[in-house]
Amino acid sequence: MTAAPETALRATGLCKRFGRVVAVDDLSFEVRRGEVLGFLGPNGAGKTTTMRMLCGLLAPDAGAIEINGEPLRLGGGRVGRTIGVAPQNIVIWEVLSCREQLELLGRLYGLAPPAARRRAEELLAVFGLQEKRDALGRTLSGGMQRRLNIALALMHRPAIVFLDEPQAGLDPQSRVVVREYIRSLAGSSTIIVTTHDMEEAEKLAHRVCIIDHGRLLVLDTVEGIKAQLGEGDVFEVELVEEAASRLLSLVTPVTDPLRPPTATANLLSFTSLRGAELLPLVVREIERLGLHLQGLTVRPRTLEDVFIHLTGRRLRE
Amino acid sequence: MRIVAFLKKTFLENLREWKILSVTLVFAPFFVYLMHAYFAASTPSYRLLVVRHDRSAGAGDLAAEGLVAAWRAVRHPDGQPAFIVKEVVDVSAAQELVKRREAELVVEIPAGFGQSLLDFREGRSTSPARLVNHGDEANVRSSMAMAYSDYVAHLWAVGVTGASFPLELDVRGLGTGRPVSDFDLYVPALLVLAVIMVMFTAAASLVREVEKGTMTRLVLSPLRTGELLAAVTLNQLVIGLVALTLTFLAALTVGYRTDGSLPAVLVVGAVATLGVVALSVGVAAFMSTMFELLTVGCFPFFILMFFSESMIPLPRITLFRLLGHTVYANDVLPTSLAVRALGRILNFGAGLPDVAFEVIGATLLAAVYLAVGSWLFTRRHVAVA
């Protein structure tokens, strides 16, 4: 089976085990050319393992990966040259200056010295590192190192860019810079971003892929994923007492059985189209039970709500 | 082009990690000065303590003082005395000095020594005069001093008594005629020690990429493993030859002299460096962090240093003969062959053709170790970076 022309990356039936642990279990999906795909999942869901396989750094036990219609082999090979990777850990050369390490990668990818210099200057400007062009990697602040980490992935103008938690540890200004640059790349490059920041994923991604236990849970646009869970706003009732579960019997009959309310300690949360009717009843019930209301929130459903709905509230690794 | 880019990068890294580079470059020169302080200052002259019980002047030219003068008169070809003779009176104190290796030999000239010789010359007695040697059989220099002083004493006795000497000795030196001190014998080994230090900088160039995760970027780039290793090897070759040159210059500053061919020394040094880099690639295959390299990595370093005889001469275990050359157990190390080749070039005036067996052997060993090291490194760090 060959990927359609608009498909930049196709993963088919990917499996990976580490001993008895199944990290990735029959995972299949496609990434369209020029889109930003948010790759989400709780800790231990299999994101990093999947990313390493997609980059050609880890061999799958089963399944196949195609990049622009060509099979990817371990180590990347020729196809792998079209990939750029910004790992979650900062991976820079500590005793090379920003300019030197960008130029090095440019030269390794076949750019002539003047072209490598120009491209390095361009990226230094984009990521606000011009004044640090001659500073050694180890002397940069954490945020600067992370920006350099991303710039290194982009030096050779890759067709597909993997960004693993690109905004972790960045200040708000840097997050804006990185976000805007990633958006500007969309169209010319295909970008796959892993993140735990749902708000960032909503802002950045054209489509979102959520995996858990190594399996694909959903792949769609953010709006599409929200729509799969039905309509309605999210209501959160916060009590002074840790007795939210005592309100469940009141709201359960009037919420969608597929999206039951949740009660955790002092917080009752439910989604409903009839929230306006329900709230007075809830407040009266709180008074009747002798409880005390601490806060009340009504908000539109977010990607995080969907994520929690799909992956649960249980803490992971 | 990729090799040039990566070569420049490793070169810059080595320069900026100046502490490791500095230790690599100054380690062997430091030992040159240290060895010189211990060995060269001790001079090739043997320290002879003479206890002269025979004080009679009646023996004329046969008096014991004539023998003492004969020892004092013997010179090495460069004019240095063969013996530094000191007359003492206390035998026990002199023996202690020999035990402490502050002298090589105590010679007692018994009372009546001159008279015995006189009686022998004039046919009044056939009993020879006696000398008593107190030497340390565990000290090679002591044994050498004993043999040499005995030889001089015999020549003197034959001369003054007119007796016929039953043997005629024709001594033909195999060296350059220039005296070779203990320190001189250490210099080739110290040159190879300079090269062995490259093990740390070479392995560090690779382990650093693994530890910092930058190996991932290199694996994904078009840079091939062979190009990576070639760039590291070229860089380390330069460092190895600089270290070797500094060590040689250090030896020259303390008076070391050689008639050997310097280009031949550089060729052997380059081959030895390649051997060390090849072994370093294998070492780097088993290390993941710089801490591991600088702790666990000391083990292969000392193995290399010890069995190459870079610091301590070892008895040789013969394995077999090949093409008319004896192959020893520690010849499995390219550096061991390099020490032997440099010794012959520097101290015995051999040329490159004379040490072709060692040079070709070391080159082949380096190639084998590099192939094995590359395979191990690729399996451990490149294929699954």
Side-chain angles (χ1 to χ4, degrees), chain A residues 233 235 237 247-256 261 268 270-286 296:
Chain A
D233 292 328
F235 292 81
V237 179
L247 301 171
L248 279 176
S249 57
L250 175 70
V251 296
T252 300
V254 292
T255 53
D256 184 344
L268 172 72
F270 60 95
T271 305
S272 175
L273 285 168
R274 297 168 53 202
E277 298 168 35
L278 267 175
L279 279 181
L281 295 175
V282 170
V283 172
R284 275 203 292 279
E285 183 67 2
I286 289 169
L296 186 62

Side-chain angles (χ1 to χ4, degrees), chain B residues 174-176 178-193 244 248 256-261 264-266 268-269 272 308-310 316 334-352 354-355 358-359:
Chain B
L174 295 175
T176 57
R178 187 175 51 79
V180 178
S181 68
D182 286 353
F183 171 73
D184 293 344
L185 293 173
Y186 268 109
V187 169
L190 291 170
L191 293 181
V192 174
L193 178 66
L244 182 134
F248 187 68
Y256 179 72
R257 293 294 175 263
T258 177
D259 302 321
S261 153
V265 170
L266 287 177
V268 175
S308 301
E309 302 183 61
S310 289
R316 288 180 174 162
T335 41
S336 175
L337 290 166
V339 169
R340 206 186 312 153
L342 287 176
R344 293 178 61 196
I345 292 169
L346 289 170
N347 291 332
F348 299 98
L352 208 47
D354 302 315
V355 293
E358 285 81 3
V359 172

